[in-house]
Amino acid sequence: MTGQNLATTAMVTIRGTVAQFSIGSNILLSVVVPPAPAPGPADVIVTTAAGTLTLTGAYLYT
């Protein structure tokens, strides 16, 4: 994922499941997408020191 202020990421969830992640830099985050019970769009929620951002339907399980 790319964005801003990602160096302070504390948690990433995808479709309500906590995802493993590693911080590459302040603008780059690598996320391991957890398996889903069914295909379809999934919200991605990123929590950093600056707050929480919900990316509605940002990931599509196929």
Side-chain angles (χ1 to χ4, degrees), residues 24-35:
S25 69
N26 198 42
I27 61 168
L28 181 64
L29 196 65
S30 296
V31 180
V32 177
V33 178

Side-chain angles (χ1 to χ4, degrees), residues 8-38:
T8 62
T9 298
M11 183 176 1
V12 177
T13 62
I14 300 176
R15 199 182 261 177
T17 301
V18 175
Q20 294 180 1
F21 67 91
S22 62
I23 298 167
S25 69
N26 198 42
I27 61 168
L28 181 64
L29 196 65
S30 296
V31 180
V32 177
V33 178

Side-chain angles (χ1 to χ4, degrees), residues 28-59:
L28 181 64
L29 196 65
S30 296
V31 180
V32 177
V33 178
D43 294 348
V44 177
I45 300 173
V46 180
T47 302
T48 71
T52 300
L53 176 65
T54 299
L55 305 162
T56 304
Y59 187 81

